[in-house]
Amino acid sequence: MIGIDHKRLEAQLTFFREIDKLKQVFRQTLLLDGSRVENDAEHSWHLAMMVLTFIDYAPTPDMDIAKVLKLVILHDLVEIDAGDVYTYDDFDAEEKRQKEQACADRVFNILPKDQADELMTLWHEYEAKETPEALFAGAMDKLQPFLHNYYVDHNSWRLHDVPKKRVIEKMSIIKKGAPKLWELTMQLINEADAAGLFADSVDTTIPKAG
Amino acid sequence: MIGIDHKRLEAQLTFFREIDKLKQVFRQTLLLDGSRVENDAEHSWHLAMMVLTFIDYAPTPDMDIAKVLKLVILHDLVEIDAGDVYTYDDFDAEEKRQKEQACADRVFNILPKDQADELMTLWHEYEAKETPEALFAGAMDKLQPFLHNYYVDHNSWRLHDVPKKRVIEKMSIIKKGAPKLWELTMQLINEADAAGLFADSVDTTIPKAG
């Protein structure tokens, strides 16, 4: 092909095929109709739509939207090998980091070196949670499954023995990443508590619909 | 909440819930492992990853990446009510347009007016296929299911009675939207033909694996 670097294109096509596996990495989060759990590809798409529509609540008005979109779209690719770890599970953070880094090394490096480096740099920025873009992306990543749990009311927190304090702790990135949404988050956490949704909610005896 | 427009936030949360339905709009395209068809949310995510990695083949070097990402992420929201129409089906284009516009009117207008207008404008830009961003997004939207059909080799074209000429016709947006990928596309179409994958391929008797 004229003007085409065949080897480069072939690597990109291999990567295109490899990442299809993200559609089979399942999460704990139920769809809002309660019918099944969602997968990482759907989750990442939902975050991208949140970036478009919750942008009012960004930590700075001059955020680089292209970068935030890239961060949410690629942030879970490292779970192709490592799998999704449930936020509220007890897990060894260092072991998780190593597994995800190994997956990033394998999957990103399918691409030509310049593109592999770009994705690795973006993923490390996402993980470091230091830039406004990474903080906002991280806040959306926590808010989305929280809202699903809240709206579906499927006892996920109680089933996994998650107390209110732990939810507040996990959601605390929203304070930095989307500070204007923190009051909403606390309001919904308190409502969920009143409805008996946490492991330590006082009224855990309310019968659940459905 | 201080500094928050409650009505605005409520509309955004309603929209967040509404668009979850895109995860249940199924397409004809099989996942690359052949296990099931994919849905519009997964498809849209895959296009966004293609934007990041196939950007070498953009029609102009100075494309607005944030805009292309927005276009691919939202382009199928209009299928929440209208459903996915198989590219190769005979369909009434005007009827499809009307159904999708009605869905856009309903779904986008859940959002505050300024955001609804922004999404409508973006979707119309995508549909018009005039800007480099819309052409590139449109090319990815055709290339992704084509590559799935090619790699999965699941007889989709033969099952749907699609001749080679019709595939070439449908893929032709790639000429404008990602011109450097046109030669690849034609090469793969010819290979698919040689493998007997089209309704009018000469050798349609080759037994398929799996």
Side-chain angles (χ1 to χ4, degrees), chain A residues 53-197:
Chain A
T53 51
F54 286 79
I55 194 71
D56 297 349
Y57 316 108
T60 51
D62 57 345
M63 243 182 11
D64 178 346
I65 305 290
K67 192 196 272 181
V68 188
L69 288 171
K70 289 178 184 181
L71 295 178
V72 298
I73 287 158
L74 67 80
H75 81 290
D76 270 345
L77 284 176
V78 296
E79 296 187 354
I80 286 177
D81 296 335
D84 182 58
V85 173
Y86 185 53
T87 300
Y88 301 108
D89 272 351
D90 280 321
F91 56 85
D92 182 328
E94 179 54 22
E95 191 192 328
K96 176 175 182 282
R97 200 198 59 74
Q98 281 178 21
K99 275 191 191 167
E100 293 186 346
Q101 181 64 54
C103 182
D105 288 340
R106 185 183 73 74
V107 173
F108 296 167
N109 282 309
I110 294 170
L111 284 169
K113 183 160 179 356
D114 59 310
Q115 293 193 313
D117 289 350
E118 190 199 347
L119 263 56
M120 193 69 83
T121 302
L122 285 166
W123 178 60
H124 284 157
E125 176 171 343
Y126 175 79
E127 287 292 307
K129 302 286 188 296
E130 284 165 0
T131 61
E133 288 82 5
L135 284 165
F136 186 64
M140 296 303 106
D141 182 51
K142 287 288 178 283
L143 186 59
Q144 188 259 358
F146 171 80
L147 290 173
H148 275 242
N149 275 358
Y150 174 82
Y151 287 125
V152 179
D153 185 19
H154 70 297
N155 287 347
S156 171
W157 291 305
R158 278 200 347 229
L159 283 172
H160 292 87
D161 202 26
V162 181
K164 179 178 181 179
K165 194 180 129 192
R166 187 126 171 82
V167 177
I168 295 173
E169 186 187 304
K170 283 289 172 180
M171 291 306 127
S172 64
I173 187 178
I174 294 171
K175 277 191 226 174
K176 277 187 172 181
K180 287 184 189 165
L181 290 177
W182 182 244
E183 194 170 329
L184 167 80
T185 309
M186 278 309 299
Q187 181 196 315
L188 298 183
I189 288 175
N190 288 328
E191 282 175 24
D193 191 19
L197 296 188

Side-chain angles (χ1 to χ4, degrees), chain B residues 67 90 111 179 185:
Chain B
K67 192 196 272 182
D90 279 322
L111 284 169
T185 309

Side-chain angles (χ1 to χ4, degrees), chain B residues 89-155:
Chain B
D89 272 352
D90 279 322
F91 56 84
D92 182 328
E94 179 53 24
E95 192 192 326
K96 176 174 182 282
R97 200 198 59 75
Q98 282 178 21
K99 275 190 192 168
E100 293 186 346
Q101 180 64 54
C103 181
D105 288 340
R106 185 184 73 75
V107 174
F108 296 166
N109 282 309
I110 294 171
L111 284 169
K113 183 160 180 357
D114 59 310
Q115 293 194 313
D117 289 350
E118 189 198 348
L119 263 54
M120 193 69 84
T121 302
L122 284 166
W123 178 60
H124 284 157
E125 175 171 343
Y126 175 79
E127 287 293 306
K129 302 285 188 297
E130 283 164 2
T131 61
E133 288 82 6
L135 285 165
F136 186 64
M140 296 302 107
D141 182 50
K142 287 290 178 280
L143 186 60
Q144 189 260 356
F146 170 80
L147 290 173
H148 276 242
N149 275 358
Y150 174 82
Y151 287 125
V152 179
D153 185 19
H154 69 297
N155 287 347

